[in-house]
Amino acid sequence: MKKFLGGLFLLLAVGMMTACSTSGTSQKSIQNKGKIIIATESEFAPFEFKTLIDGKDTLVGADIDLAKAIAKELDVKADFSVMSFNNVLASVTSGKSDIAIAGISVTDERKKAYEFSDAYYEAENVVILKKADLATYTSLESLAGKFVGAQKGSIQENIAKDQLPSSSLVSLTSNGEMINELKNNQLQAVVLEKAIAEGYISQNPDLAIAGRPLKSTDTDTYAVAFAKGTDKKLIASVNKVIKKAKQSGEFDAWIEKASTYTQSSSESK
Ligand code: ARG
């Protein structure tokens, strides 16, 4: 009996270990179901946002084009699952999504919990202000005691904490809402990546980029995220698509195309 139980435990333990090591998606399972589920967000132009096409709110942007190219490479349908940015990474861990593409920056902290593809974009962080305040807030120190916004779950929260320790950090789920709060003076500044900031500024001429007050260590790179345990074959396929999109200039063309669309006003301008 004892021996039998021991054997049973061993079997169970091995079973559990196998279950753990096979967590994360595989190229085969994606191809079997005929679709790849991509976790993303929708207020991050020019990477992912909604625009009206033929009167219909449509998800567009460079990340969306990248996801479609990945689906094409795998010969499956791209199935987008739109959620708040702070849920995007968790969605691959829980297995609700196969991959996550949402302008996700690679960090040492995130590398502990997720796999990443090769980088496909290099971003720079900036502070944006109301144009009328440009002369008031000329340094990081001048924002002491003021309200500074960053998106919930983003690395911009950490940048704000590190570089603006005397300001009050306000974390918001929606970038559109953050921009509205800046315009209404509820926030005095917002930390965003430059391409995103420029998109909002082009639609809101009352806003501007502060005279480069952030330290220059703030470049970060975007990559596709996977759960730990995702099969190497899938990651290699994604890297192949990224390499081609970068080398052929396709990725730049996707960004270019995205900048011709207007972000839907339902999501704030
Ligand atoms: N790159 C930043 C990060 O990974 C912000 C990404 C926000 N993405 C979005 N779709 N809202 O934390």
Side-chain angles (χ1 to χ4, degrees), residues 41 44 48 85 102-105 110 151 154-156 193 222:
E41 196 255 1
F44 203 64
E48 51 265 347
F85 182 71
I104 301 166
S105 304
R110 286 176 179 168
Q151 189 171 36
S154 73
I155 62 164
Q156 284 68 40
E193 278 143 348
Y222 295 172

Side-chain angles (χ1 to χ4, degrees), residues 186-253:
Q186 286 161 281
L187 295 175
Q188 280 71 52
V190 161
V191 183
L192 273 178
E193 278 143 348
K194 199 171 175 200
I196 311 352
E198 284 171 347
Y200 280 116
I201 288 168
S202 73
Q203 291 183 50
N204 297 277
D206 54 332
L207 304 179
I209 291 182
R212 189 73 185 115
L214 284 174
K215 287 175 204 124
S216 56
T217 49
D218 309 309
T219 52
D220 61 70
T221 53
Y222 295 172
V224 177
F226 311 83
K228 282 276 185 212
T230 295
D231 99 281
K232 299 273 173 287
K233 202 166 164 199
L234 176 64
I235 301 178
S237 298
V238 168
N239 283 337
K240 184 179 157 198
V241 174
I242 288 173
K243 192 172 176 191
K244 184 174 158 251
K246 273 170 64 178
Q247 280 180 353
S248 64
E250 214 175 5
F251 195 82
D252 294 331

